[in-house]
Amino acid sequence: MKRFRLKSVLVVLFLSTVLISCSNDDDNAESTVKTKTAFVTKIEGPATGKVNDELSYDVTYLVDNACGEFDKIAETTIGETKGLQVVAKYPSELCTQQVPDPKKTVYKFKATAKGTIEIKFRKSETEFLTQKVVIE
């Protein structure tokens, strides 16, 4: 009987330790960052390329305030047209630097077949900015 009681106490202590150590305190740091679509103003890069060659394009975009930073490039759809969009992240605190400068990021692309490809980035709520690339 003593062994059963001792094992029961040890199991309860172990489970208590596991449950207490699994708190979600670290989640608060992640939630202070807000993300929003940043509209693209210019795409610069090669107009031609070869199959399986990686092409790089400089993408210029505008953020809401000077504290905005690049987060990622994501897929998006306007109507039935698919394209890409730049997503910027903003700290939740007030930004004291209010005048934003255009920012740049690099988009890398590798074609797997010959033909003309359109790289489309969101430039407004209803339009894409398009860069045509001929793959030989």
Side-chain angles (χ1 to χ4, degrees):
M1 191 68 168
K2 281 188 172 187
R3 279 192 168 167
F4 179 73
R5 181 177 269 179
L6 180 61
K7 285 183 182 180
S8 299
V9 169
L10 289 176
V11 168
V12 169
L13 285 174
F14 175 76
L15 290 175
S16 299
T17 303
V18 169
L19 291 175
I20 290 171
S21 65
C22 292
S23 69
N24 60 357
D25 294 340
D26 297 337
D27 295 344
N28 292 338
E30 190 75 23
S31 66
T32 61
V33 176
K34 307 289 183 207
T35 59
K36 186 177 177 185
T37 299
F39 296 127
V40 172
T41 59
K42 187 175 6 176
I43 305 169
E44 295 176 310
T48 61
K50 294 186 178 185
V51 175
N52 293 323
D53 280 354
E54 186 172 81
L55 302 174
S56 295
Y57 294 89
D58 290 329
V59 179
T60 305
Y61 60 95
L62 294 174
V63 290
D64 288 348
N65 59 47
C67 296
E69 297 176 8
F70 175 79
D71 185 31
K72 63 184 175 181
I73 293 176
E75 293 183 2
T76 187
T77 304
I78 298 176
E80 294 181 11
T81 307
K82 292 184 179 183
L84 302 168
Q85 68 183 5
V86 174
V87 178
K89 60 184 174 181
Y90 300 89
S92 66
E93 305 105 34
L94 292 174
C95 182
T96 57
Q97 305 168 350
Q98 295 301 319
V99 180
D101 290 327
K103 301 202 178 220
K104 286 188 177 185
T105 189
V106 176
Y107 173 67
K108 296 189 180 215
F109 171 75
K110 186 185 281 190
T112 58
K114 291 182 178 183
T116 301
I117 297 172
E118 292 184 344
I119 300 172
K120 298 177 182 182
F121 275 92
R122 192 174 197 159
K123 77 173 189 178
S124 71
E125 290 293 331
T126 59
E127 294 179 278
F128 284 112
L129 185 62
T130 304
Q131 171 78 35
K132 289 188 179 186
V133 183
V134 177
I135 304 297
E136 301 168 348

